[in-house]
């Protein structure tokens, strides 16, 4: 039986080998065909050898277009017959038959390497076989042995698109071998050696050969150059389009990218974490997605996916631009819904990122060509919109939001809602290119604040966070982030909004009391009080809360609506008072905490001891809530008593009285920032006050600044990263850590 099984295995193996030869599936046969670059000149040890390759391009009328070679390339070899391949699959290929290994002086590196056996599962370390490899200026060849004569088993032709991966330490830990992976057009060699220096030597040599190759150019690139050279001759351009289907709309899938991409992929690329594959594969996938757009009822999600892929993978941007231009050239049904889907995507792309200069020139030519072919149509309107957008587009950080894409495909502006102090709301139309600085200028005009000496800014804000936007920030990017946050954090408490308010106080005395700017001063002073940025006594805070009630409700009435206490009074004061009074009780521990922990936590990790801790925390939390309710009621009663004494005060009087109290603090008029200041190994929480004349440093909660620096004393200042601000005063350097650093 063992002998019969062995002969059965031999016969089957021989049969499959014959089938592989018949259908062209044998690896050695396939690997003998690789792309080569036209007009490549390779200098070897004996001198210069010129290699010329013609590129036949089969056209629709049977004519052939042959790329001209430089004089130094010599006469090209005549082909035995036409190349019968489709236009979109055509490539430069050089057939190479099996040859006899000779003593070639062009050999760069040669030696024994191990390679995975054909047909094995993808665990090369389970079965490896040693082969003799020879690296020449043109290819990496594989032989059975180093004895002569010997037939070549396979060859990987090296071009500028090939890539070689550096030996992986992880692979060595798992297999005991250092790997050398070489990617070609259709195949890759996964080679292994036990010695790191040998692997590095092979990698460096192969990479040097790849770097010596001239850049590969695809048929699409060559045709784009032809169109650019003949753009003034309309008849020639139209003939190029007519004879080359690769430039025109197709309903067939794309089997290869229109532009050159390196073979293979780096598994350790950061983009691999997001699930992306090799760039060539992603390019083909995107074209399939583009074709799906034609029949999508809601194209926005699919457009967002395409834009996100191009934003993550920068090399794909030119490719997708070329794909969309291809699909908008000579469509079967111009102006139909399926045709306009491509124009809508091109509109979104033009508002998100720009192509490279070469592709941008071709895009501009394409848009003008479409305008001349389809005057007074939707295509012409989209072309005009895209041409206008290309002049303004800057690099976006995020893809357009769902709402933005919905208005872009209609060639409309996006309505942006901006809030300002006093529960004010302003709706402003913006484009995909509007910056925060431009929006602030527009709001200043609409709210009639042009005569103000103070500086205004736009903030992103929710109930727990506020950050000023830099002037160059694209507002549409911020709205996209809000959309992403909303998807992750549902609920009113995390609702994000744009907020317009005073940023730097340069003039607080000469503001008219009946102006909108005066209400800004009042509302922002109240915000500062609620957030704890006014160091004063509790009695004064109660008086301010009473004035706020008078401003909101007028004279006291039992039926008047009462806002929550945290909207009138800094609630952290009550928290601190309760925690201070209950601290001894809450922190009281058994006399031997370590003994109890050792006995019960090990014996009953989820038992009585843990249950008692949970119960104790629940009781403490309940007591805290009860105390907060009592203290809150007492505080509200004291505030109401003060409110009753404010009868007949008008809103303007209330605002003036409120601001007069706040202005008693020397820090009023400064924009305060929470910072961490480091002095040696000591760090402390401080307030940094930025006023019209100086910088001031306060210990949080203290009335007086412990350091004040006039601007004339500052020799230099700047930011070192997104959270570090540095100020130099003479030889003294002050370094502050804060989350409020922005680049204006």
């Amino acid at each position: 039986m063992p002998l019969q099984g062995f002969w059965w295995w031999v016969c089957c193996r021989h049969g499959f080998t014959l089938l592989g030869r018949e259908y062209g599936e044998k690896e050695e046969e396939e690997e003998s065909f690789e792309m080569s670059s036209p007009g490549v000149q390779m200098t070897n040890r004996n001198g210069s050898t010129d290699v010329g390759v013609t590129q036949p391009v089969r056209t629709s009328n049977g004519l052939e277009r042959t790329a001209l070679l430089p004089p130094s390339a010599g006469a090209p070899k005549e082909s035995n017959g036409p190349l019968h391949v489709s236009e979109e699959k055509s490539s430069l290929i050089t057939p190479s038959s099996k040859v006899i290994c000779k003593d070639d002086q062009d050999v760069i590196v040669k030696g024994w390497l191990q390679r995975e056996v054909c047909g094995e599962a993808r665990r090369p370390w389970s079965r490896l076989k040693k082969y003799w490899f020879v690296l020449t200026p043109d290819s990496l060849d594989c032989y059975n042995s180093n004895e002569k004569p010997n037939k070549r088993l396979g060859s990987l032709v090296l071009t500028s698109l090939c890539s070689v991966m550096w030996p992986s330490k992880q692979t060595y830990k798992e297999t005991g071998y250092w790997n050398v992976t070489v990617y070609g057009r259709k195949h890759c060699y996964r080679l292994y050696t036990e010695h790191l220096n040998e692997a590095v030597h092979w990698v460096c040599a192969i990479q040097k050969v790849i770097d010596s190759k001239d850049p590969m150019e695809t048929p699409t690139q060559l045709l784009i150059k032809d169109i650019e050279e003949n753009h003034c001759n309309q008849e020639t351009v139209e003939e190029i389009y007519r004879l080359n289907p690769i430039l025109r709309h197709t309903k067939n899938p794309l089997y290869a990218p229109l532009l050159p991409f390196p073979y293979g992929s780096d598994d350790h690329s950061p983009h691999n974490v997001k699930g992306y594959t090799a760039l060539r594969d992603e390019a083909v996938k995107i074209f399939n997605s583009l074709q799906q757009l034609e029949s999508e009822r809601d194209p926005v999600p699919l457009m967002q996916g395409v834009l996100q892929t191009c934003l993550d993978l920068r090399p794909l941007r030119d490719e997708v631009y070329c794909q969309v231009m291809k699909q908008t050239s000579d469509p079967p049904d111009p102006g139909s819904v399926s045709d306009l889907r491509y124009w809508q995507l091109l509109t979104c792309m033009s508002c998100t990122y720009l192509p490279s200069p070469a592709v941008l020139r071709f895009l501009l030519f394409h848009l003008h060509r479409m305008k001349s072919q389809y005057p007074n149509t939707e295509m012409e309107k989209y072309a005009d919109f895209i041409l206008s957008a290309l002049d303004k587009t800057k690099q976006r950080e995020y893809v357009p939001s769902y709402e933005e894409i919905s208005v872009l495909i209609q060639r409309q502006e996006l309505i942006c809602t901006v809030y300002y102090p006093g529960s004010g709301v302003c709706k402003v139309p913006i484009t995909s290119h509007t910056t925060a600085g431009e929006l602030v200028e527009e709001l200043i005009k609409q709210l009639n604040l042009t005569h103000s000496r103070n500086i205004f800014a736009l903030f992103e804000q929710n109930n727990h966070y506020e950050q000023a936007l830099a002037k160059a920030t694209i507002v549409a990017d911020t709205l996209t982030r809000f959309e992403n946050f909303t998807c992750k954090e549902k609920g009113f408490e995390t609702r994000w909004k744009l907020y317009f308010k005073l940023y730097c106080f340069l003039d607080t005395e000469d503001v008219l009391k009946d102006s909108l700017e005066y209400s800004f001063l009042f509302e922002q002073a109240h915000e500062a009080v609620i957030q704890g940025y006014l160091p004063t006594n509790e009695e004064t805070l109660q008086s301010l809360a009473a004035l706020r009630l008078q401003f909101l409700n007028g004279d006291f009435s039992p039926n008047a609506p009462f806002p929550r206490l945290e909207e009138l009074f800094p609630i952290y004061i009550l928290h601190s008072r309760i925690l201070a009074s209950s601290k001894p009780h809450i922190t009281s521990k058994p006399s031997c905490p370590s003994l109890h922990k050792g006995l019960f936590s090990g014996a009953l990790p989820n038992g009585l001891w843990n249950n008692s801790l949970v119960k104790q925390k629940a009781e403490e939390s309940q007591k805290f809530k009860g105390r907060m309710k009592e203290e809150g009621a007492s505080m509200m009663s004291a505030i109401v008593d003060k409110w009753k004494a404010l009868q007949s005060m008008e809103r303007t009087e209330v605002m003036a009285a409120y601001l007069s109290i706040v202005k008693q603090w020397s820090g009023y008029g400064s924009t305060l920032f929470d910072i961490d200041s480091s002095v040696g190994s000591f760090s402390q929480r401080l307030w940094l006050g930025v006023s019209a004349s100086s910088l001031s440093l306060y210990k949080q909660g203290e009335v007086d600044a412990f350091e004040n620096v006039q601007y004339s004393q500052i020799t230099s200042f700047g930011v070192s990263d997104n959270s570090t601000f540095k100020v130099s005063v003479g030889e003294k350097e002050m370094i502050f850590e804060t989350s409020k650093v922005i680049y204006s």
Side-chain angles (χ1 to χ4, degrees):
M1 287 299 292
L3 186 60
Q4 292 178 357
F6 173 78
W7 282 111
W8 177 85
W9 178 81
V10 171
C11 293
C12 288
R13 183 178 178 87
H14 181 67
F16 283 121
T17 302
L18 293 177
L19 286 173
R21 291 177 180 174
E22 180 69 22
Y23 290 98
E25 297 176 354
K26 189 170 175 61
E27 180 182 355
E28 289 80 9
E29 294 293 337
E30 288 185 343
E31 290 177 348
S32 297
F33 295 85
E34 292 294 338
M35 294 182 69
S36 63
S37 174
V40 176
Q41 295 185 0
M42 176 61 64
T43 303
N44 55 35
R45 299 173 187 173
N46 297 330
S48 176
T49 302
D50 297 333
V51 181
V53 182
T54 61
Q55 183 192 3
V57 178
R58 175 69 56 183
T59 59
S60 58
N61 62 355
L63 299 176
E64 289 185 356
R65 175 183 179 277
T66 303
L68 297 179
L69 299 176
S72 61
K77 296 181 180 180
E78 296 183 358
S79 58
N80 295 330
L83 182 63
H84 297 286
V85 294
S86 66
E87 183 68 27
E88 296 181 4
K89 297 182 184 179
S90 63
S91 61
L92 308 178
I93 58 177
T94 303
S96 175
S97 59
K98 293 181 180 180
V99 297
I100 305 298
C101 180
K102 299 179 180 179
D103 186 11
D104 194 344
Q105 295 183 0
D106 287 341
V107 172
I108 299 174
V109 181
K110 57 184 177 181
W112 291 101
L113 293 172
Q114 303 207 54
R115 184 184 176 191
E116 58 184 334
V117 177
C118 303
E120 287 290 317
R122 184 154 294 209
R123 289 189 341 187
W125 52 89
S126 61
R127 187 178 176 190
L128 298 175
K129 187 175 180 181
K130 188 176 290 188
Y131 293 93
W132 180 257
F133 284 89
V134 177
L135 176 65
T136 69
D138 296 313
S139 62
L140 179 61
D141 303 327
C142 176
Y143 301 89
N144 256 336
S145 70
N146 59 344
E147 298 177 358
K148 301 179 181 61
N150 191 14
K151 288 186 177 181
R152 186 172 61 192
L153 300 178
S155 180
L156 197 65
V157 177
L158 298 175
T159 69
S160 62
L161 299 183
C162 294
S163 59
V164 56
M165 297 294 106
W166 199 256
S168 169
K169 191 173 183 179
Q170 184 64 29
T171 302
Y172 178 76
K173 289 180 179 179
E174 295 174 353
T175 67
Y177 291 96
W178 295 99
N179 62 315
V180 177
T181 306
V182 188
Y183 290 98
R185 184 175 63 90
K186 292 181 63 177
H187 298 284
C188 75
Y189 279 175
R190 301 180 188 274
L191 313 176
Y192 301 87
T193 177
E194 296 178 351
H195 307 289
L196 176 61
N197 58 346
E198 186 177 7
V200 170
H201 182 63
W202 276 97
V203 169
C204 293
I206 295 171
Q207 187 62 57
K208 189 173 182 180
V209 172
I210 294 173
D211 293 340
S212 69
K213 301 297 180 180
D214 288 343
M216 295 287 295
E217 289 187 313
T218 63
T220 299
Q221 285 180 304
L222 296 174
L223 291 170
I224 289 175
K225 287 184 177 180
D226 286 349
I227 292 173
E228 186 174 0
E229 292 172 0
N230 298 278
H231 69 279
C232 295
N233 191 331
Q234 185 177 356
E235 293 183 2
T236 303
V237 169
E238 295 304 324
E239 186 70 7
I240 293 174
Y241 273 95
R242 188 181 68 83
L243 297 179
N244 292 277
I246 197 171
L247 295 174
R248 307 197 305 267
H249 181 281
T250 182
K251 293 184 177 180
N252 299 321
L254 199 66
Y255 296 100
L258 300 178
L259 302 180
F261 290 102
Y263 306 134
S265 62
D266 186 358
D267 295 334
H268 304 288
S269 169
H271 299 304
N272 204 266
V273 178
K274 295 186 177 182
Y276 293 119
T277 56
L279 292 174
R280 297 173 62 84
D281 298 334
E282 290 295 334
V284 174
K285 290 179 184 178
I286 286 182
F287 190 79
N288 294 334
S289 299
L290 299 187
Q291 292 179 317
Q292 292 178 21
L293 274 178
E294 299 183 15
S295 57
E296 282 290 321
R297 295 185 59 184
D298 182 10
V300 176
L302 191 53
M303 288 181 180
Q304 278 187 311
V306 172
L307 294 172
Q308 186 64 61
T309 301
C310 293
L311 202 64
D312 293 339
L313 306 176
R314 179 181 286 269
L316 284 181
R317 297 176 188 177
D318 282 355
E319 171 71 22
V320 178
Y321 265 110
C322 289
Q323 290 181 6
V324 178
M325 284 188 281
K326 169 184 171 65
Q327 292 301 91
T328 52
S329 297
D330 302 326
D333 190 8
S336 63
V337 174
S338 59
D339 178 41
L340 293 181
R341 286 283 186 259
Y342 293 109
W343 283 102
Q344 292 164 0
L345 176 60
L346 191 57
T347 299
C348 296
M349 291 170 60
S350 67
C351 294
T352 308
Y353 43 76
L354 295 174
S356 65
V359 177
L360 178 58
R361 291 193 299 269
F362 182 57
L363 174 61
L364 297 176
F365 170 82
H366 173 76
L367 294 173
H368 288 293
R369 178 173 178 265
M370 293 297 99
K371 285 180 61 179
S372 62
Q373 286 189 351
Y374 305 106
N376 302 320
T377 62
E378 285 293 303
M379 288 87 78
E380 183 186 27
K381 295 177 182 178
Y382 276 112
D384 285 331
F385 187 92
I386 294 169
L387 286 169
S388 176
L390 291 173
D391 291 334
K392 306 172 187 176
T393 296
K394 302 173 184 176
Q395 177 61 45
R396 295 279 295 269
E397 294 183 16
Y398 301 91
V399 300
S401 63
Y402 188 97
E403 183 181 2
E404 183 183 354
I405 293 180
S406 299
V407 298
L408 278 177
I409 62 180
Q410 302 296 328
R411 305 186 304 276
Q412 297 175 354
E413 292 183 319
L414 179 65
I415 302 301
C416 177
T417 302
V418 182
Y419 298 84
Y420 57 86
S423 302
V425 179
C426 191
K427 294 185 179 295
V428 185
I430 64 171
T431 67
S432 299
H433 324 287
T434 303
T435 63
E438 294 169 345
L439 182 54
V440 167
E441 292 177 2
E442 181 63 28
L443 288 167
I444 289 174
K445 293 177 183 177
Q446 289 195 17
L447 298 176
N448 196 23
L449 297 169
T450 53
H451 299 293
S452 173
R453 294 179 55 197
N454 295 308
I455 298 176
F456 296 85
L458 196 64
F459 292 75
E460 55 182 7
Q461 184 189 84
N462 67 6
N463 287 11
H464 311 289
Y465 175 83
E466 182 179 86
Q467 174 70 40
L469 297 178
K471 291 182 179 179
T473 301
I474 297 176
V475 178
D477 271 343
T478 303
L479 297 178
T480 298
R481 285 196 295 110
F482 290 174
E483 183 179 273
N484 296 339
F485 290 152
T486 303
C487 295
K488 297 177 182 178
E489 306 171 355
K490 294 183 178 180
F492 176 81
E493 293 297 322
T494 57
R495 187 178 64 184
W496 288 84
K497 61 184 179 182
L498 290 175
Y499 199 73
F500 171 76
K501 67 176 185 177
L502 286 163
Y503 188 48
C504 291
F505 301 88
L506 303 180
D507 179 17
T508 60
E509 300 298 333
D510 299 328
V511 180
L512 298 177
K513 294 184 179 180
D514 59 347
S515 65
L516 180 62
E517 186 177 7
Y518 194 77
S519 68
F520 275 35
L521 292 174
F522 168 70
E523 293 291 344
Q524 291 185 224
H526 179 66
E527 288 178 9
V529 170
I530 295 301
Q531 295 169 5
Y533 289 122
L534 180 65
T536 186
N537 56 61
E538 192 171 309
E539 185 76 15
T540 302
L541 293 174
Q542 291 176 2
S543 299
L544 292 173
L547 287 169
R548 183 66 178 179
L549 275 175
Q550 182 70 17
F551 175 82
L552 294 175
N553 299 329
D555 292 342
F556 170 78
S557 171
N559 300 323
F562 281 80
R564 295 179 300 174
L565 180 61
E566 52 265 32
E567 297 177 8
L568 302 172
F569 187 87
I571 203 69
Y572 77 93
I573 292 179
L574 300 184
H575 288 180
S576 301
R577 181 191 302 169
I578 295 172
L579 290 175
S581 63
S582 60
K583 187 174 182 181
H585 173 73
I586 293 177
T587 57
S588 60
K589 299 289 181 182
S591 57
C592 299
S594 59
L595 177 62
H596 284 241
K597 185 177 180 180
L599 288 174
F600 293 102
S601 63
L604 300 171
N606 296 313
L608 297 177
W609 179 248
N610 285 347
N611 290 337
S612 65
L613 290 177
V614 172
K615 185 177 180 181
Q616 182 182 354
K617 290 181 180 179
E619 291 176 353
E620 292 174 354
S621 176
Q622 195 66 26
K623 289 179 181 179
F624 180 80
K625 291 179 180 178
R627 289 288 307 278
M628 276 296 299
K629 190 174 182 180
E630 294 174 4
E631 292 289 342
S634 175
M635 181 61 67
M636 183 61 80
S637 176
I639 293 172
V640 170
D641 289 340
K642 292 181 179 296
W643 178 25
K644 292 177 182 179
L646 302 176
Q647 295 292 324
S648 303
M649 285 191 69
E650 298 294 333
R651 290 170 67 95
T652 305
E653 295 178 300
V654 170
M655 288 192 292
Y658 196 104
L659 287 173
S660 65
I661 296 175
V662 174
K663 288 179 180 179
Q664 294 175 6
W665 180 45
S666 60
Y668 177 75
S670 298
T671 303
L672 296 180
F673 298 92
D674 293 312
I675 62 170
D676 290 320
S677 178
S678 300
V679 181
S681 60
F682 177 70
S683 178
Q684 57 181 336
R685 296 284 291 173
L686 302 173
W687 286 337
L688 174 64
V690 181
S691 68
S693 59
S694 63
L695 294 180
S696 302
L697 288 174
Y698 299 84
K699 292 183 179 179
Q700 293 191 356
E702 294 191 1
V703 176
D704 298 322
F706 68 86
E707 186 160 359
N708 190 283
V709 180
Q710 299 296 319
Y711 290 131
S712 59
Q713 299 176 273
I714 297 177
T715 55
S716 66
F717 66 93
V719 294
S720 57
D721 53 47
N722 291 333
S723 61
T724 304
F725 179 64
K726 183 172 71 172
V727 177
S728 298
V729 181
E731 297 181 356
K732 180 181 178 181
E733 284 191 351
M734 296 184 289
I735 299 177
F736 310 120
E737 297 288 334
T738 176
S739 61
K740 304 296 184 179
V741 172
I742 63 170
Y743 299 88
S744 297

